[in-house]
Amino acid sequence: MDPSFHIPTTIPSPSIPGGAPWMDCRIWSRLPHRLIDRVVASLPPPAFFRARSVCKRWYGLIFSTAFIELYLHLSPSRHWFIFFKHTRLKNCIAAGGGEAFLFDPENLKWYRLGIPQIPAGVSAVSASGGLVCFVSEEAGSKSVLLFNPVMGTLIQLPSTLRPRLCPSIGLTITDSSIDLIFAGDDLISPYAVKNLTSESFHIDGGGFYSIWGTTAALPRLCSLESGRMVHVKGRFYCMNYSPFSVLAYDVAANNWSKIQAPMRRFLRSPSLVESRGRAVLVAAVEKRKLNVPRSLRLWALQECGAAWAEIERMPQQLYGEFAEAEWGRGFDAVAHGDYVVILIKGSERAVMFDFGGKRWSWICPCPCGGRDGMRGFAYEPRLAVPITALLEQLTLPFNSFAA
């Protein structure tokens, strides 16, 4: 601290019963800018954008390279979620604008974000590292957009090389690398689709890149229907159907393998999520012919990569309420950090499990939610994402759009 800087001490207020302390308002004008910047850099995005209206200097912080570097160094990780409405997203985008909803599971708060920058004909398919991946819905080579909802910026990646219908998609982004993979639903003719191949996009700070040049054959007789993948320690995982199993893609080895799912004959609505560095399977268990109560369970993939261990089970009373609300419609799960959110399809209702507090609870519905349900992704709101600079430098001719 600057030795010439003096902080007035708090003194008892004669106007407040009990002599409650108060702080001289003049202290704020005496704080050094470097200290104020550290405080502002630690604010969550909603508070940061409210603070920008205080003065011209705070408004301009977002354009300061020094502040952005400070923000990247100091800003804590936030295990939030981002949700999009199923039908209204497409309708709003077609009309020239859409909306997304951020959920803070620690404080149980919702925030609405307008997304007018997203063009028509694309859908949100994955999120990582502060960016949301949008992919074109039309059959054929897929257009790919990486979008920062907080800043409203877009980066367009090169289109995939192979024509596909509705592939399963995985994304993982760090400060120095990006891996994006498309798998299955190969269009072998205008009238036939098969799950035959995968192709991936990779760029890292070491100068290595593969722009859809890395391909691999999928296991025989695989059925990818969920469209989702999760990334855990160098591998992408996705659900395989009929019967249930899990497909794993090793990024470094560029090969696929199949892992047997736990209780695969009795699972309903299985979802794969990543939580605290583990691949976790969330599913309802229904053994109609055995004397075992129906339940919703969580299994974690063990270090050997081939066995599962049950780690949590929804309390039976809560499961009764959940099953009554779900009424056989199915559900999806999404996880981030300590939190797992289980959303009932075609509904705005959801249950959350907190690994840290070992608590199950219903969460407050989104104030702008609807009856069509929502699609959610793990999301860390960030003002700056370092990988975007690398993408713009190494993958020209990309198109970048600013809000």
Side-chain angles (χ1 to χ4, degrees), residues 73-289:
H73 177 67
L74 292 179
S75 180
S77 296
R78 291 181 171 87
H79 296 141
W80 287 17
F81 297 91
I82 189 167
F83 294 91
F84 300 92
K85 295 180 183 179
H86 274 296
T87 57
R88 286 192 60 190
L89 174 65
K90 183 184 296 186
N91 295 337
C92 290
I93 289 177
E99 57 187 3
F101 304 92
L102 298 184
F103 178 62
D104 173 2
E106 184 175 355
N107 298 302
L108 301 177
K109 289 185 176 181
W110 288 92
Y111 302 94
R112 179 186 175 278
L113 286 175
I115 50 173
Q117 301 87 350
I118 300 298
V122 298
S123 294
V125 296
S126 188
S128 179
L131 299 178
V132 178
C133 180
F134 284 81
V135 171
S136 57
E137 298 169 340
E138 292 186 0
S141 297
K142 297 295 186 178
S143 300
V144 183
L145 299 173
L146 296 180
F147 177 58
N148 184 334
V150 173
M151 296 302 299
T153 55
L154 276 173
I155 293 180
Q156 182 175 352
L157 302 186
S159 299
T160 60
L161 300 181
R162 301 202 177 195
R164 301 180 188 275
L165 184 60
C166 297
S168 292
I169 300 169
L171 172 70
T172 180
I173 294 175
T174 69
D175 287 350
S176 59
S177 68
I178 175 173
D179 282 282
L180 178 62
I181 182 169
F182 282 61
D185 263 14
D186 304 64
L187 280 170
I188 60 176
S189 80
Y191 311 101
V193 175
K194 287 189 177 181
N195 294 313
L196 300 175
T197 65
S198 67
E199 57 186 319
S200 57
F201 177 101
H202 173 86
I203 284 183
D204 62 43
F208 177 77
Y209 62 94
S210 174
I211 303 177
W212 306 118
T214 303
T215 61
L218 292 174
R220 292 181 65 252
L221 304 177
C222 64
S223 176
L224 311 177
E225 297 180 10
S226 70
R228 289 177 178 263
M229 292 190 196
V230 296
H231 181 267
V232 183
K233 297 179 180 178
R235 289 188 175 189
F236 285 100
Y237 298 90
C238 59
M239 286 302 304
N240 187 50
Y241 294 77
S242 301
F244 289 126
S245 62
V246 175
L247 298 181
Y249 173 70
D250 189 314
V251 176
N254 188 35
N255 75 284
W256 288 85
S257 59
K258 187 177 291 187
I259 305 170
Q260 183 170 318
M263 304 180 71
R264 60 179 184 171
R265 296 186 179 182
F266 309 106
L267 299 182
R268 186 170 63 81
S269 293
S271 296
L272 281 170
V273 300
E274 185 278 331
S275 178
R276 304 198 293 182
R278 301 176 297 179
V280 175
L281 177 62
V282 182
V285 174
E286 296 183 350
K287 288 187 174 184
R288 291 184 176 87
K289 297 183 179 179

Side-chain angles (χ1 to χ4, degrees), residues 296-299 310-314 353 355 358 360:
L296 190 145
R297 308 185 191 187
L298 281 66
W299 296 267
E310 183 177 326
I311 54 176
E312 292 294 339
R313 187 180 302 190
M314 182 181 287
F353 176 68
F355 275 107
K358 296 294 182 180
W360 291 88

Side-chain angles (χ1 to χ4, degrees), residues 285 292-297 313-323 360:
V285 174
V292 175
R294 298 180 182 183
S295 58
L296 190 145
R297 308 185 191 187
R313 187 180 302 190
M314 182 181 287
Q316 204 60 37
Q317 180 178 351
L318 179 60
Y319 180 74
E321 300 173 7
F322 179 83
W360 291 88

Side-chain angles (χ1 to χ4, degrees), residues 10-23:
T10 58
I11 60 175
S13 171
S15 61
I16 302 178
W22 67 283
M23 182 176 289

Side-chain angles (χ1 to χ4, degrees), residues 24-25 167 235 330 346 383 389 401:
D24 190 336
C25 62
R235 289 188 175 189
L383 301 181
F401 303 88

